Amino acid sequence: METLKEVVMNVARVAFLVLCLCACSSTKPATITPDPPAAAPSARVSVPLPGEWTTWSHEKKKDYMKATVVLAEKGLWANYDPVRFANLTCKNCHGSGVADGTYRMPNPDLPKWPGGADAFRELKERNPKALWFMQQVVVPVTARLIGVKEFDFASHTGFSCFQCHVRG
């Protein structure tokens, strides 16, 4: 019998696969539109190979984010909280970096995250669903989408909370 965690991860994997397949199709559902309105990506961009993300130009990253990452993240976040994240946009993750065109990360507009064992314990007690979602869904899926290693607790390396949240 599968645990709840296994079921949710399997659902997330299937949702991610469906979103990727939709992103690769020649037509998109009418309900998915960029917000704010933007020009279509200049070319389809394939998933970056491990380590390749840092070598991509700003324009290539932007095209890939619009064509692939936004669609995948919309599905993840809508499954997490369909009301709050019904219309996920670039601004949800990149904040004021969208307006100035930098799309900087980590984003100072997101909640600050102190990190460390005490902060994780507190979040686990206060909002275990959010902690589980970030650690088990957002971090690994986003890391794979941009071709980077996901966070490894043993070595403290890889894609972590602090690629999106500033320390605070």
Side-chain angles (χ1 to χ4, degrees):
M1 183 173 192
E2 290 182 305
T3 66
L4 177 60
K5 181 178 174 181
E6 290 169 327
V7 170
V8 172
M9 283 306 294
N10 287 334
V11 169
R13 285 184 186 107
V14 170
F16 176 69
L17 178 60
V18 169
L19 288 168
C20 287
L21 291 172
C22 290
C24 294
S25 69
S26 61
T27 60
K28 293 181 184 172
T31 57
I32 299 176
T33 57
D35 187 20
S42 58
R44 288 282 178 197
V45 181
S46 60
V47 175
L49 298 172
E52 192 177 49
W53 182 255
T54 59
T55 68
W56 281 12
S57 69
H58 180 73
E59 200 59 39
K60 187 173 182 178
K61 287 178 181 177
K62 201 162 94 174
D63 285 350
Y64 176 71
M65 293 293 279
K66 287 179 186 177
T68 305
V69 177
V70 170
L71 296 176
E73 295 287 345
K74 276 185 178 188
L76 297 177
W77 288 93
N79 282 334
Y80 173 70
D81 189 333
V83 174
R84 184 173 173 198
F85 298 108
N87 188 28
L88 189 87
T89 68
C90 301
K91 192 171 182 177
N92 286 91
C93 297
H94 294 279
S96 60
V98 173
D100 66 21
T102 62
Y103 296 90
R104 73 182 163 277
M105 293 302 270
N107 174 8
D109 298 334
L110 289 175
K112 302 210 179 347
W113 177 243
D118 290 340
F120 281 102
R121 258 190 303 281
E122 180 187 328
L123 184 56
K124 187 175 183 179
E125 290 171 11
R126 189 171 29 97
N127 194 342
K129 179 183 172 189
L131 178 62
W132 183 89
F133 176 68
M134 296 302 287
Q135 286 184 323
Q136 303 301 317
V137 179
V138 174
V139 168
V141 169
T142 305
R144 280 191 292 262
L145 282 169
I146 62 173
V148 298
K149 278 180 36 180
E150 68 181 86
F151 187 72
D152 174 47
F153 280 94
S155 65
H156 287 262
T157 60
F159 188 86
S160 72
C161 308
F162 299 111
Q163 271 60 59
C164 299
H165 297 269
V166 296
R167 290 185 186 272

